[in-house]
Amino acid sequence: MDRAIDHRGLPKLLECEAMTIRKPTPRKPALKRKAKLPPEPESLFERLAKIGDAIPDEELAKHPSDGARNLEHYLYGKPRLP
């Protein structure tokens, strides 16, 4: 029982398959431009300066100007340093 393969329909099949394959679409040439970088984040100093600027002057006047020097006086009640 030798079966012969009939190749007569093969050209028609290949023609149909070729029609279904999509041709690549032509691509536009890439534009040469510099990439946009994200904005540089603020430094810690800039962030602290913004916070300090948001404090009203009246509120700042209530705080002692010698806070670091007489810290123990304000925290523990020790005598003030001259």
Side-chain angles (χ1 to χ4, degrees):
M1 291 185 65
D2 224 33
R3 289 191 180 182
I5 299 174
D6 185 14
H7 296 289
R8 288 180 287 176
L10 189 59
K12 185 69 175 169
L13 176 66
L14 290 175
E15 184 181 322
C16 291
E17 287 296 319
M19 292 174 69
T20 60
I21 296 175
R22 292 185 181 175
K23 292 181 182 177
T25 57
R27 294 185 180 216
K28 294 179 182 177
L31 299 175
K32 292 184 179 182
R33 57 182 159 167
K34 294 182 180 179
K36 275 191 173 180
L37 297 176
E40 193 170 315
E42 292 181 319
S43 68
L44 178 61
F45 176 76
E46 291 170 337
R47 292 171 64 191
L48 290 175
K50 275 186 180 179
I51 293 170
D53 290 343
I55 301 172
D57 291 334
E58 301 83 32
E59 195 63 36
L60 286 177
K62 295 178 187 176
H63 292 274
S65 60
D66 62 345
R69 182 179 177 141
N70 288 309
L71 179 65
E72 292 183 356
H73 166 72
Y74 296 115
L75 291 179
Y76 310 118
K78 288 189 173 185
R80 287 185 184 198
L81 296 175

